[in-house]
Amino acid sequence: MAGATATAAGAVRAAPASAADRKIVAFCCRECAYAAADASANARTPLPPTVRLVLMPCTGRVSPLHMLSALAEGADGVMVAGCLLGQCHYREGNFMAVDRVAFVQRLLKSVGVEPERCRMFTMSAGEPPKFVAAVREMDRVIGGLPPLPRSDAAAPAAGAAVAVRGAA
Amino acid sequence: MPLTHRGREILSRVPGGTLHSAVGVGCEIVRHEELCVGCGKCATDCPSGASERGAFFDVNQLLDAPADSRRGALGGALRRLMRHGPDGPVEVPERVTVYRTIIYDDEKCLGCGTCARGCPAAAIEARPPQADAEPAAAGAPAFEGARA
């Protein structure tokens, strides 16, 4: 699995820079954003091909390690899509996600990476157009940025993948 | 804590009996920053306010952490992305419960060891004071002998 990830990362670097080659990982809350994505797919609304959805039980489950690992392993942008503030199925999970996204943005900014690569969106399950708009907005922002450069100095991945599973 | 009259009387009958301070108070508190997960439990447990959760986080703590720790995993990901060294401490939002730096003030510390007992990462060590440990070990057999 580590090898496959490394090859994928290599392919991303070798490919000519064009906006369609970017990868955006969207961590979606099961209660709202994923349902909205489902509804938008049922309505056959085209989504940008850059986005990859990851189903989460709640955005409160997304740790800074998930977001940074996604960026380090080949994503050019990370979006966290959760419920409207105050409508979290687990009461306050999305508040935690808001703060964690802010923390990751500050970490990225502090080491010279554009903080726009990590963003939080909120929507309800009944708003597929809002989800599509959020994904298109993210696609536009990431398309305007250069591909994310990565150094291979640190050993890639197997350990990081294991650690993500243990992180809260 | 001052002894009662009865306590003083009993102590006077124990041959070689000396008064020790309450158990645990006066411990030397040793903090292992590389193991700390920044949860802040020591700060909530601390009776004297010697440990406090700081509002800022030093990014170098992520980059320097051992690779198999949680902070080290985050630091490894950050190291692959970084274009220059960290600009300085990062402000930590209220709801980020881990990745905080704990501010420890040893002037206020009582050495009670509550933080060491409660630390989930075993990052705090409370070493018993050496001066007290020595007479306690010597005093115990004398007390046994007096009873026999």
Side-chain angles (χ1 to χ4, degrees), chain B residues 20-135:
Chain B
H20 299 294
S21 56
V23 179
V25 173
C27 283
E28 185 198 352
I29 303 295
V30 183
R31 301 184 58 93
H32 300 279
E33 293 297 337
E34 72 280 5
L35 296 177
C36 178
V37 295
C39 67
K41 188 165 191 301
C42 50
T44 46
D45 286 355
C46 183
S48 67
S51 298
E52 278 177 38
R53 297 169 80 198
F56 287 88
F57 179 75
D58 185 359
V59 184
N60 283 315
Q61 280 193 32
L62 289 180
L63 300 176
D64 296 342
D68 54 346
S69 69
R70 190 152 100 182
R71 282 189 182 186
L74 196 67
L78 200 59
R79 182 166 294 150
R80 294 188 68 189
L81 297 171
M82 63 195 269
R83 295 179 194 164
H84 55 68
D87 286 335
V90 168
E91 196 184 345
V92 183
E94 181 52 38
R95 287 307 196 87
V96 177
T97 47
V98 292
Y99 309 118
R100 266 177 194 270
T101 308
I102 307 296
I103 301 164
Y104 171 67
D105 180 3
D106 61 354
E107 293 287 309
K108 288 189 199 163
C109 181
L110 304 172
C112 66
T114 308
C115 50
R117 217 171 296 138
C119 181
I124 312 177
E125 199 183 327
R127 293 186 181 150
Q130 292 301 311
D132 267 18
E134 208 51 43

Side-chain angles (χ1 to χ4, degrees), chain A residues 22-80:
Chain A
R22 306 295 153 75
K23 291 191 175 109
I24 300 170
V25 175
F27 292 105
C28 295
C29 163
R30 183 175 58 198
E31 312 291 336
C32 48
Y34 205 85
D38 217 10
S40 73
N42 281 341
R44 305 196 177 257
T45 320
L47 279 182
T50 49
V51 73
R52 272 84 168 155
L53 303 189
V54 179
L55 174 63
M56 299 306 263
C58 172
T59 47
R61 181 63 184 86
V62 186
S63 95
L65 186 51
H66 289 119
M67 302 180 226
L68 273 187
S69 302
L71 290 174
E73 299 289 323
D76 296 290
V78 168
M79 58 184 283
V80 180

